Amino acid sequence: MTEDPTTPDRHRDPDATDGAEPGSGRDEPTPTGHPGRDFAPPVPPGFQTPSPQAWGGTPVPPAQGWAPPPPNAWGQSPTPGGPPPGGPAPGGPAQGWGWAPPPKPGVVPLRPLGIGDLLDGSFQAIRRNAGATLGLPVMVQLFVGVVTALVTLPLFSVVGTPDVLEGADPDFNALTGSLLTLVGGSLLATLVSVFLLVIVQGAITIPVLRAVLNRKTRFGQALRILRPSIGRLLLVALLYLAAGLAGLLVCAGIVTVVALNSSAGVAFTTAAIVLVVAVPTAVWISVRITFTAHAVVAENLGVRRALARSFTLVKSSWWRCFGILLLTGIIVGVVTSLITSPLSMAGGMIGGFMSPEDPGALVDFLVKFSFITTILTAVATGLGFAYQCAVTTLLYTDLRIRRDGFDLELLREFDAGIDAPLPGMSGGIRPGHDAGSPGVR
């Protein structure tokens, strides 16, 4: 007997008979709760079924479907300094992510310094440690100025006495003696000032370098820290004088030998050539040895190793150092001249109104006015020299940062709360480096 295909078979799965078979033409719906072959699972929230065009050749944009939850989306409180839940706010970067500025515990940030950092940081260091940075330069300049004024008095006396230069037999011996006294006294004052200014340069290194880590420095404290280095600083000054004198003697000797054995034109040409060669050479050497005094004080080096250290630091930064030092010198020179030039003009104007029949009164006025001008000029020059030394100290610090990573040592000392006499003396880079090696980091 032929079995009717529509007749249910007791051996078949009862669920299979609930729906229509393929090709039977029956369109009865599937009973509720009994999934058949056409059953589709429930669509999760946020899911979009791809359109038929997605299976063809035409690309469709990606559906805006399910995405992983953003950070802090499961009930946690936002992390301090981190991005807000759901990502950064539109129109700006996330808080706490990306680049952070370098630390600045003192007058300059702990990173390679620019010209603005050097000029502003020097002013800030002087303002915070006025006694330690300005006291010694002003005193030295006052001393040199007073000595110069005292050796000028004999010349004023000779010029102001009519009997010396008038008459049939002028007393040129008195004038010559006064001129020799003036020249000798000025030379002695210059020599003394060279030694003292080198010591001043080393002394200003202390408060400025400590100001990088926001350490206050008193005048007496700076002198106590400087005391062990004074002898080596005097040797540095003596070396400067010897080098300058040797250069002058060599140049003068060449010109003299040529002048004695050739014509005046050849001697003049030789002098011009020597001048053209000598001046750039002197400038080049001066820049290379600028940081010798700083190395003596800040790194506790001997004279030879300090010279090598200065040469090493400036090796690949000569033009930059030259430009910064030249700019600083121009700024200081302009400011100093704005203070001293009006004084000189006032003295000349006042002297012109005095009676020429009374040369004694004129000499007395010139002596008094000279002392007043000397004091004010010494104060202005001392302030300018202090600022120059402060800029040079920060430039020396910048060279150490670029070459030795000195900023890391400074940051380590600041974080540890170490108050060493000078930054870098507590350990780290300074004790182990070779100051004379050009490749040391």
Side-chain angles (χ1 to χ4, degrees), residues 2-66:
T2 305
E3 184 179 2
D4 187 358
T6 63
T7 303
D9 186 358
R10 66 174 57 92
H11 301 291
R12 297 173 62 185
D13 186 1
D15 294 340
T17 62
D18 293 336
E21 294 186 4
S24 64
R26 298 178 62 184
D27 54 357
E28 291 83 3
T30 303
T32 304
H34 298 279
R37 273 182 267 181
D38 294 334
F39 170 77
V43 179
F47 179 82
Q48 293 184 0
T49 306
S51 60
Q53 288 81 358
W55 306 103
T58 305
V60 295
Q64 299 294 329
W66 180 87

Side-chain angles (χ1 to χ4, degrees), residues 92 194 222 238 257 275 295 349:
V194 170
L238 183 61
V257 170
L275 186 65
M349 293 175 61

Side-chain angles (χ1 to χ4, degrees), residues 100-150:
K104 185 182 178 181
V107 295
V108 292
L110 299 183
R111 57 164 172 77
L113 306 177
I115 180 64
D117 299 321
L118 297 174
L119 298 179
D120 180 67
S122 301
F123 178 78
Q124 295 296 331
I126 292 175
R127 185 178 64 87
R128 298 183 186 185
N129 303 277
T133 53
L134 300 179
L136 195 58
V138 172
M139 288 192 298
V140 169
Q141 292 293 342
L142 280 174
F143 172 76
V144 174
V146 169
V147 171
T148 303
L150 290 176

Side-chain angles (χ1 to χ4, degrees), residues 82-84 87-98:
Q95 295 290 334
W97 295 78

